[in-house]
Amino acid sequence: MAVLTAGFPTLNPETVSLYYTKDPVLENLPILVFYGSSTTRNATRSSARIQAHIYSLAGFKSFPNLTVAPTSPLYAAVKHLPSDKQGDEIFRGLAVSLLSYFAGLTGPMKDVLRELAGRRRPDRVAPAMFDEMHAGDLASNMVELDDAGAATRRLSTALAQQSLTWIDVDVLLPPQTIERVVAQEGSDLVPAFGEDGLPLFHYGQYESLMDQFGHPAFLPTSKLRRAPSRPTAHSKLRSLSKEQKVALRREMCEVLDTEKSYVAKLQCLVDEVAVQLRQSIHADIQRTGLRVGESPIRQLFPESLSRIAVINAEFLTELEDVLSATEDEAIQDIEGLAEALAKLQLEQVNMASRKRDPTGTLAFAKTLLKWMPRFSGPYQEYMRTSADIPKALNAARDDGTSKLAQALNEFGEQRLRSMLIEPVQRLPRYSLLLDNMIGQLPASHPALSNLLKLKDVIADICALDNGSPADSTRTSSALRRFIRDWPSWLSPRGRLIAAVDAIELAPPYDDTSSGLEILLLLFPDTVIIARRESGNALTAKGILVEIERPAMTPSLYQTSDKGLLYSTAFELSKLRLSESADGRVTRMIYTGTATSSNQASLEISNTVDTQVKVVSLLGPYECKAQRLSEDIAKARIEGRFPEPIRESDKWALRTVDSSQERLGLIAAIYEEGDNSRSRLVPAHCCVQVSNSDHNDLRGILVGDKGIEIAVHISPLKSNVFKLHIEGVGGSRFSGTSAIENVGQLLVDQG
């Protein structure tokens, strides 16, 4: 965590008084000065020591120890006080402190304020500002306020400490640097994965340098939408007990038995019920000449259901073969006849013996892992079309005199409804049975990784979202239905990463009861803000449920008005974040042009005031502003790098975890080449690593496409690197560093 602003100091009302005036040059905006004698008390006859804490549109500055002396350059402001006030110690101190305040303003800040001052003048040119005359004029007009307590309390809240927890950076390596780590599996070389399930990479001569960017991290893609599952409830024993072996075999038999029942129901649906109902339709057509029942039947028995029946029947056959083939050895193992063999397996160290599994769990897991990916197409298609089942059943029974309605009544509508929903419910049941098996296995068991992969495959099938543009459009379409005044042109790119309930606070940001209830919708390129217009309006959880729910599940919110109103949208590349010390409040500063729901709002949004939003987070993010910062940092990376790059073997993600003493860092690491130029927008901080010992920053230039910090790193000798850092405003740093200090140096200089 890095502290951006130290916050408002603790002031003693007995030693500090509040002085106030309006600046006529800056549209009569107020300037506050908390003024008093310095606590160091080492004044002389010809000089005085004061403290001044100044707040204006340009920000807050604290001067705990200023010298007011004729020999000081700041004393020039005193000469521009009226003659009757030049002899007053307080007015002299105010003039000196204001000139010191102006001297500390940055060039860009002065430019913005001059533009604001000249906006309403006929010639659009600002008068002379920020000089000794300006300071003297303001000081001469200052008046003391009797009660400074209320102002102090409000400023203490509005100017509370602001911190930054997470930043995202791009790290560009030379060509042919990144290589996937491979492992020997039998006679084949396969990609290797770490204990966390993430792919492993080699970085050549920069291996130790990349370690300074933390450990491997996960970012979803359409092929891998969640971090690989990890065993959280597995057995802590190193070997299986007899009871565990019995439990494992029982779970495998449970899968087989329920699969037999499930396949029988599927075959009944496809081969008997569907045939019987189609015959009823044929009889109705012959009787009436109308083809009224065909559409409901097609909806009740789609082609995907027939494919499911076929594929599950084939899966059942192979499952029976596997359990039959492993049954004898499993029984012997349970009865202890294979105890000597088990001890021998523990003593041997070669891969083949370690993967031997007399319980049959490994063979069982491999069989499921072979078949489950094949379920994806027909099951997802069925789940998407199954939303029409209730409507189709109602249509089929509408005409009580038809043969179709009579056949449906004889079979039982509720019975048919229960059978038709079986495919939707089957996949989660597989996952529950796998959880029971995982809970019995020690961490070293060879079947554990396969079972965890199976859970991920099943979760991906149930999620329905495959990350395609069609799914992104589906999300936008759903949000357009839920949120009034959603602009027709607004179609955020990529997936909905997070939805967050919050309260938008008004200055001085201390009263949540008077704030606006809002939703933050985070996408890879945009954060969208919607207002909740009533207490019954859709919440963040409701939005996620509506978007992620399986097609067959009816909406929990049947009304067309969900109580949400579009407010504005911010591009992530132009958004700055900071958090309060307690993690309760997030401050968002937008440097672009906000897009509001109407032209009037758009005009207002172009002003400085509406570019700042301060929100108090609720729900799972309450007092966890750091979590939102991390999500936004990852979202920026997801938006900068298209999926083909992130799924390639030349791209990696690493992270340095945030702490009280350390700024969190998320680094996208990639190679220089054609793919490196396909990023939509670069990061604010870019790092270029090369063998060259000069400051070659031709690939990353400060000011180019929003780059604010450009870093060049090159190796000098073993574990020693040369760094050259350029920042906005002309800041530069050049020097050398030992490998263990590179990461901290980047944070300090950045």
Side-chain angles (χ1 to χ4, degrees), residues 513-571:
S513 63
S514 61
L516 295 173
E517 294 187 22
I518 62 172
L519 285 181
L520 304 177
L521 303 174
L522 177 60
F523 290 86
D525 61 341
T526 312
V527 60
I528 297 170
I529 299 177
R531 293 180 182 176
R532 301 182 70 235
E533 296 187 292
S534 68
N536 296 326
L538 207 59
T539 63
K541 182 178 180 180
I543 285 283
L544 295 175
V545 168
E546 283 295 290
I547 290 175
E548 296 176 0
R549 68 182 177 87
M552 183 163 183
T553 307
S555 171
L556 300 176
Y557 307 91
Q558 297 295 340
T559 61
S560 58
D561 186 4
K562 306 299 189 298
L564 297 176
L565 177 67
Y566 174 83
S567 175
T568 190
F570 295 147
E571 293 178 59

Side-chain angles (χ1 to χ4, degrees), residues 65-139:
N65 192 10
L66 271 177
T67 299
V68 181
T71 56
S72 170
L74 299 174
Y75 202 80
V78 176
K79 298 177 181 179
H80 293 276
L81 289 170
S83 57
D84 60 321
K85 294 182 178 179
Q86 290 185 14
D88 189 299
E89 180 181 351
I90 292 178
F91 283 101
R92 290 200 305 266
L94 290 171
V96 167
S97 61
L98 284 169
L99 186 54
S100 178
Y101 178 77
F102 290 157
L105 297 180
T106 64
M109 175 61 74
K110 290 180 179 179
D111 292 341
V112 169
L113 295 178
R114 287 191 180 103
E115 181 183 353
L116 179 62
R119 184 177 298 175
R120 298 185 186 276
R121 297 172 67 91
D123 56 0
R124 310 289 290 181
V125 177
M129 300 173 65
F130 312 125
D131 55 10
E132 57 268 22
M133 183 181 295
H134 191 187
D137 289 344
L138 290 174

Side-chain angles (χ1 to χ4, degrees), residues 166 180-181 192-203 207 210-219 227-228 230 630 634 651-657 665-669:
W166 290 94
R180 278 293 300 270
V181 178
F193 295 85
E195 293 182 357
D196 52 9
L198 298 176
L200 298 176
F201 293 91
H202 281 317
Y203 302 97
E207 197 80 39
M210 292 302 100
D211 289 341
Q212 301 307 305
F213 291 95
H215 56 80
F218 173 76
L219 196 63
R230 301 181 66 179
E630 182 181 9
K634 289 183 176 179
W651 191 92
L653 189 73
R654 300 183 74 89
T655 182
V656 176
D657 295 327
L665 182 146
I666 305 174
I669 300 171

Side-chain angles (χ1 to χ4, degrees), residues 8 15 288 514:
F8 196 78
T15 60
T288 64
S514 61

Side-chain angles (χ1 to χ4, degrees), residues 385-633:
T385 59
S386 60
D388 297 327
I389 286 179
K391 186 187 301 184
L393 283 172
N394 293 336
R397 70 182 182 191
D398 277 348
D399 185 1
T401 62
S402 69
K403 296 290 184 180
L404 175 60
Q406 294 174 10
L408 185 60
N409 186 57
E410 290 175 2
F411 184 81
E413 180 184 339
Q414 190 57 44
R415 179 187 173 194
L416 179 59
R417 188 187 299 268
S418 177
M419 293 177 70
L420 289 171
I421 203 174
E422 282 275 343
V424 179
Q425 297 174 336
R426 183 58 182 168
L427 292 174
R429 287 174 182 168
Y430 287 133
S431 191
L432 291 175
L433 292 169
L434 293 177
D435 282 336
N436 295 338
M437 296 180 66
I438 290 170
Q440 303 294 334
L441 294 175
S444 59
H445 197 280
L448 184 60
S449 62
N450 288 312
L451 293 176
L452 293 172
K453 290 177 183 177
L454 269 170
K455 284 177 57 64
D456 290 337
V457 171
I458 294 171
D460 286 343
I461 297 174
C462 293
L464 291 180
D465 184 3
N466 61 16
S468 67
D471 288 307
S472 177
T473 303
R474 184 169 63 89
T475 299
S476 296
S477 299
L479 292 174
R480 191 171 283 109
R481 292 196 309 272
F482 302 153
I483 301 174
R484 285 195 297 111
D485 293 345
W486 181 282
S488 58
W489 51 262
L490 180 60
S491 184
R493 183 167 46 85
R495 65 193 181 96
L496 176 60
I497 296 172
V500 183
D501 292 308
I503 295 177
E504 183 180 343
L505 304 177
Y509 315 126
D510 59 350
D511 184 10
T512 57
S513 63
S514 61
L516 295 173
E517 294 187 22
I518 62 172
L519 285 181
L520 304 177
L521 303 174
L522 177 60
F523 290 86
D525 61 341
T526 312
V527 60
I528 297 170
I529 299 177
R531 293 180 182 176
R532 301 182 70 235
E533 296 187 292
S534 68
N536 296 326
L538 207 59
T539 63
K541 182 178 180 180
I543 285 283
L544 295 175
V545 168
E546 283 295 290
I547 290 175
E548 296 176 0
R549 68 182 177 87
M552 183 163 183
T553 307
S555 171
L556 300 176
Y557 307 91
Q558 297 295 340
T559 61
S560 58
D561 186 4
K562 306 299 189 298
L564 297 176
L565 177 67
Y566 174 83
S567 175
T568 190
F570 295 147
E571 293 178 59
L572 288 189
S573 61
K574 299 177 181 178
L575 188 66
R576 303 291 190 276
L577 293 183
S578 62
E579 311 109 31
S580 60
D582 58 5
R584 184 180 65 87
V585 172
T586 291
R587 188 184 299 259
M588 299 187 292
I589 302 176
Y590 188 61
T591 58
T593 301
T595 52
S596 301
S597 57
N598 55 65
Q599 185 60 36
S601 298
L602 183 58
E603 291 175 358
I604 295 173
S605 73
N606 287 329
T607 66
V608 175
D609 290 339
T610 55
Q611 298 300 319
V612 178
K613 287 190 179 291
V614 178
V615 298
S616 177
L617 304 179
L618 304 174
Y621 287 82
E622 185 172 4
C623 296
K624 296 179 181 178
Q626 297 83 358
R627 176 183 170 188
L628 178 62
S629 295
E630 182 181 9
D631 287 347
I632 288 179

Side-chain angles (χ1 to χ4, degrees), residues 203-521:
Y203 302 97
Q205 63 176 315
Y206 305 112
E207 197 80 39
S208 58
L209 178 61
M210 292 302 100
D211 289 341
Q212 301 307 305
F213 291 95
H215 56 80
F218 173 76
L219 196 63
T221 67
S222 61
K223 293 182 179 178
L224 192 62
R225 291 187 290 279
R226 58 190 56 80
S229 295
R230 301 181 66 179
T232 56
H234 59 80
S235 171
K236 296 181 180 180
L237 299 176
R238 296 186 62 185
S239 59
L240 292 170
S241 66
K242 179 177 180 179
E243 290 75 16
Q244 288 172 321
K245 294 174 182 178
V246 172
L248 282 171
R249 201 68 191 179
R250 183 173 59 246
E251 294 298 335
M252 287 185 273
C253 291
E254 177 74 11
V255 174
L256 178 61
D257 292 341
T258 56
E259 190 68 19
K260 289 179 179 178
S261 174
Y262 173 58
V263 169
K265 291 180 181 179
L266 290 175
Q267 291 175 339
C268 176
L269 274 173
V270 173
D271 298 335
E272 298 177 19
V273 179
V275 171
Q276 181 181 350
L277 294 181
R278 288 190 179 99
Q279 289 174 347
S280 301
I281 292 174
H282 184 67
D284 286 333
I285 292 174
Q286 288 183 328
R287 180 173 60 89
T288 64
L290 300 175
R291 313 180 73 89
V292 294
E294 289 183 325
S295 179
I297 290 301
R298 282 197 299 269
Q299 293 174 326
L300 290 175
F301 304 100
E303 187 269 340
S304 55
L305 181 62
S306 300
R307 290 163 55 201
I308 289 174
V310 171
I311 198 170
N312 275 85
E314 296 173 351
F315 168 61
L316 174 61
T317 300
E318 188 160 338
L319 197 61
E320 289 176 323
D321 293 342
V322 169
L323 288 183
S324 176
T326 59
E327 184 176 9
D328 291 341
E329 188 175 9
I331 293 174
Q332 291 178 2
D333 184 53
I334 291 172
E335 293 177 350
L337 299 180
E339 184 176 353
L341 177 60
K343 290 182 179 179
L344 178 61
Q345 292 170 354
L346 290 175
E347 294 172 358
Q348 293 176 336
V349 296
N350 62 75
M351 181 64 73
S353 63
R354 282 204 307 268
K355 287 196 172 184
R356 181 172 173 79
D357 172 37
T359 66
T361 309
L362 179 59
F364 174 85
K366 286 185 174 181
T367 301
L368 265 67
L369 195 57
K370 169 186 172 182
W371 281 91
M372 285 297 168
R374 304 179 186 179
F375 288 5
S376 177
Y379 272 89
Q380 288 193 332
E381 183 180 334
Y382 184 79
M383 285 189 283
R384 288 190 173 99
T385 59
S386 60
D388 297 327
I389 286 179
K391 186 187 301 184
L393 283 172
N394 293 336
R397 70 182 182 191
D398 277 348
D399 185 1
T401 62
S402 69
K403 296 290 184 180
L404 175 60
Q406 294 174 10
L408 185 60
N409 186 57
E410 290 175 2
F411 184 81
E413 180 184 339
Q414 190 57 44
R415 179 187 173 194
L416 179 59
R417 188 187 299 268
S418 177
M419 293 177 70
L420 289 171
I421 203 174
E422 282 275 343
V424 179
Q425 297 174 336
R426 183 58 182 168
L427 292 174
R429 287 174 182 168
Y430 287 133
S431 191
L432 291 175
L433 292 169
L434 293 177
D435 282 336
N436 295 338
M437 296 180 66
I438 290 170
Q440 303 294 334
L441 294 175
S444 59
H445 197 280
L448 184 60
S449 62
N450 288 312
L451 293 176
L452 293 172
K453 290 177 183 177
L454 269 170
K455 284 177 57 64
D456 290 337
V457 171
I458 294 171
D460 286 343
I461 297 174
C462 293
L464 291 180
D465 184 3
N466 61 16
S468 67
D471 288 307
S472 177
T473 303
R474 184 169 63 89
T475 299
S476 296
S477 299
L479 292 174
R480 191 171 283 109
R481 292 196 309 272
F482 302 153
I483 301 174
R484 285 195 297 111
D485 293 345
W486 181 282
S488 58
W489 51 262
L490 180 60
S491 184
R493 183 167 46 85
R495 65 193 181 96
L496 176 60
I497 296 172
V500 183
D501 292 308
I503 295 177
E504 183 180 343
L505 304 177
Y509 315 126
D510 59 350
D511 184 10
T512 57
S513 63
S514 61
L516 295 173
E517 294 187 22
I518 62 172
L519 285 181
L520 304 177
L521 303 174

